[in-house]
Each structure stands twice: as C-alpha cells, then as structure tokens.
Amino acid sequence: MTAAPIATRFTELVGVDYPIVQTGMGWVSGPSLTSATSNAGGLGILASATMTYPELEAAIAKTKSLTSKPFGVNLRADATDAPERIDLLIREKVKVASFALAPKPDLIAKLKDHGIVVIPSIGAAKHAVKVASWGADAVIVQGGEGGGHTGPVATTLLLPSVLDALGPDGIPVVAAGGFFDGRGLVAALSYGAEGVAMGTRFLLTSDSAVPDAVKAQYLERGLGDTVVSTKVDGMPHRVLRTELVDKLESGNGATALAAAAKNANRFKRMTGMKWSTMLKDGRTMRKSGERTWQQVIMAGNTPMLLRAGLVEGNTEAGILASGQVVGMINDLPSCDELIQQIMTQARDRLDQLGKF
C-alpha cells in the first residue's frame, strides 16, 4: 500500500508527492540514487561538484532516462564554469538547482526566468533572509548534526531561528541535519518547515553506489562516532571517526597543507582541470570572504579523500562524511522502501497527535 502524499508549499513548488529531499552528496548522488529517490516520490539531487562538465552532461541524460519525475542538480556557485553548467540545466529543463554557496541575484534570476527552482543551502538566519531577497524559491537549513560541511548550531535551534527571520509569509524552508524517519518529518513540520532533507540516510540505502563494505562500517557506528574536523579541508567537516581522521587531527599544519597540495594535483589530473582554472576558483573563494588561502589550498583534500573512502572503499586512505544520525541507522532499504516507511510513520504520528 502506498502512503498518502503530504502536500506542502515545497512539494507543490518542485512537483513531488512527499516532502523529502535526498541531498547532493559528492561521489554518492549519481543517476541511480537520484532517480530512485525521485521515482519514490521524493526529490533526488545530483551532486555535480565532483563531476567534470561532460560527466555532468552524461549524468543528467542518464537520470532523465531513469525517471520522468522532477530531480535537481547541486552546483558550486563559485565554480569557474558555473554559467556553462547553469546553461546546461536550462537546456535540459532540470527542475531544481541547489547550491551550497548561494549564487548571485543575476544567476538566480536567469534560472527562474527559465522555470528552474532555486534552492540554496544555508547555515544562518541572516543568510536565509539574504538569499530570499535575491529571489531564491526555498532554502535548505542544515543544523550542526548534519554530515559534511556543517555549522555549530543544532537543527532544533537553527530551524526556528530561520523561520522567525523569514516570517510567516517567507519562502519555504526544508530542514536538514539529524533526520531519518517519520518522527523527524513530523517534528520539522511542527516547527514550520515544509520538508526534510537527508544525506546519510540516503547514502545508507540499497540504491546507493557506495561499496557494501563501506556501508557496513557506517552501520556499525554509534551516535558518538562522528567528529567535526577542520583538518580535512580547513572548514568544519563532520565525518566518521577513523584512524586517518585521528591522524589528521593530531598532525601539524605544514603536513596537512603538503597533503592537500598533493591531493589537489591528483584531482586536477583526474578531472582534466587546468591549474589556471583551479587558481581562478581559489581566487573566487577568497573574494567571497568565506575562506583563507590556507583553507583554499586545503580544499583540494576533500574530493580525493572522499573519493578514496566512498568510491574506492579505501577507508585507510579516505574519509567518510557522515551525520550524527548514523548512530540511529541499522538497515539498507531501497529508496522507495525508505520513503514509504517514513511517510507511514509520519501519518501514524500525526494520528496519535490528533488524539491530544
């Protein structure tokens, strides 16, 4: 039996049955996972930051061959070829463009003019207000429980602060960080959010291409087995605690920079990027004021360390991004099974709450 849809402004905005988003995770959110999520009634999002332009072009085509439902693509607004990637989304009529760093108003306007829904991820109320004023259609708000790059404020405090800042007539808010079941969805809706976004929970599905041996390592972990490290790429990054992470945490700055430079060179060779392009991207990051030059150099660590762990399954040489929610997950359902479980539980909780 298929769970009844729950309609919110977000589901109406993006054209899905359920207010559930699978986030764009580098090396993880490919056509298979994205299409499986969308086919299950949620919104799947392709992660393009670790793809070359031709790879993204092929990934969009593959996803479209696997689903007729709406899906999105996560983009780096500060990438040198961001305008070309945006043109690709327009040509391919992709439904949603999501961003970790919000694009400037002109790019938002261009996407919206062509019918593409723009959804930046933000980590502070003031950023939500800013992107709303720029024309963003909705925002994803990730609390500190979330995996990958994250902030210090828990979802239970960050979410209401954003909702209060945007006001009752503000753009739709999707909550992320710590969500994995129907109880969390109902809690987010009760705060005033209009959906939830999940990364780690979708990584741990049978539709995820992450090696089974790596998934098994995730399933063994508890609530205290993640750490927020700044030694991976200079920014707060929540990952599973491993021997490599412990070594990075105890290492000195010079060693970390040397490793980052080596990994940046490996990423350059793998993607075919030119040093001039990488330097342009670095200057763009610096101009945004978000990173120091040391952090820009260390950013070269992230793609290769994640690839080693999540693609090659080499957890001794790679890192495993993870939300704290990993300690609450013990199975590997399909995306369809997962979403149905969440919606059924959400309906049960709403029925129970109706008795009070």
Side-chain angles (χ1 to χ4, degrees):
M1 181 176 177
T2 302
I6 287 182
T8 69
R9 287 190 301 160
F10 176 76
T11 63
E12 294 170 358
L13 177 67
V14 299
V16 298
D17 291 330
Y18 304 123
I20 297 173
V21 178
Q22 162 251 306
T23 59
M25 298 167 280
W27 306 115
V28 176
S29 304
S32 176
L33 181 60
T34 300
S35 62
T37 303
S38 291
N39 284 331
L43 179 70
I45 298 181
L46 279 172
S48 77
T50 51
M51 296 180 186
T52 63
Y53 180 91
E55 287 171 341
L56 175 58
E57 194 172 29
I60 290 174
K62 180 65 174 177
T63 304
K64 290 176 70 173
S65 76
L66 295 172
T67 185
S68 60
K69 303 290 185 68
F71 67 93
V73 173
N74 182 258
L75 300 166
R76 267 184 52 198
D78 60 350
T80 306
D81 64 348
E84 289 77 17
R85 292 180 183 237
I86 286 171
D87 287 342
L88 173 62
L89 267 59
I90 292 170
R91 287 197 306 273
E92 294 297 330
K93 295 180 170 56
V94 172
K95 182 64 178 181
V96 173
S98 73
F99 296 87
L101 295 174
K104 292 295 186 281
D106 58 332
L107 287 182
I108 293 177
K110 182 176 181 177
L111 287 162
K112 288 166 63 76
D113 286 346
H114 289 86
I116 296 178
V117 177
V118 180
I119 308 178
S121 293
I122 57 93
K126 64 181 181 180
H127 296 150
V129 172
K130 178 183 290 186
V131 298
S133 71
W134 287 355
D137 296 293
V139 289
I140 294 176
V141 178
Q142 179 176 308
E145 302 96 321
H149 292 119
T150 195
V153 181
T155 304
T156 50
L157 297 174
L158 179 62
L159 178 58
S161 76
V162 170
L163 289 163
D164 288 348
L166 290 172
D169 299 321
I171 59 177
V173 172
V174 176
F179 296 100
F180 66 100
D181 66 0
R183 295 172 297 180
L185 173 57
V186 172
L189 294 175
S190 72
Y191 271 109
E194 308 208 27
V196 295
M198 304 182 296
T200 305
R201 177 65 274 199
F202 276 107
L203 184 154
L204 293 173
T205 60
S206 60
D207 293 304
S208 161
V210 172
D212 289 342
V214 175
K215 291 179 185 177
Q217 290 198 36
Y218 275 90
L219 294 178
E220 293 172 356
R221 300 310 184 99
L223 289 171
D225 288 334
T226 66
V227 60
V228 177
S229 174
T230 59
K231 296 296 183 68
V232 174
D233 62 4
M235 303 289 282
H237 200 125
R238 187 177 292 282
V239 296
L240 287 184
R241 190 182 294 279
T242 62
E243 285 188 24
L244 174 61
V245 171
D246 287 341
K247 288 179 182 177
L248 289 172
E249 285 292 286
S250 61
N252 61 51
T255 302
L257 280 174
K262 185 182 295 184
N263 277 323
N265 189 47
R266 289 175 61 205
F267 188 59
K268 167 187 171 292
R269 292 200 306 270
M270 185 183 69
T271 60
M273 290 179 69
K274 298 178 180 179
W275 276 116
S276 58
T277 300
M278 296 183 75
L279 288 171
K280 283 181 182 177
D281 285 350
R283 282 196 292 270
T284 302
M285 289 182 192
R286 284 289 298 121
K287 287 178 181 178
S288 71
E290 295 289 334
R291 300 192 184 192
T292 66
W293 268 117
Q294 180 173 334
Q295 289 170 332
V296 168
I297 295 170
M298 290 184 71
N301 255 350
T302 308
M304 299 312 299
L305 290 179
L306 285 172
R307 186 178 191 275
L310 296 172
V311 178
E312 299 167 0
N314 185 354
T315 56
E316 293 182 2
I319 59 171
L320 302 172
S322 176
Q324 287 182 306
V325 75
V326 68
M328 299 296 293
I329 299 172
N330 56 20
D331 61 352
L332 297 170
S334 68
C335 289
D336 184 64
E337 291 168 339
L338 172 62
I339 289 178
Q340 288 301 310
Q341 289 168 8
I342 291 172
M343 297 309 303
T344 298
Q345 189 179 37
R347 285 292 184 187
D348 289 345
R349 292 307 306 150
L350 289 170
D351 289 343
Q352 288 296 316
L353 290 170
K355 296 178 180 180
F356 289 97

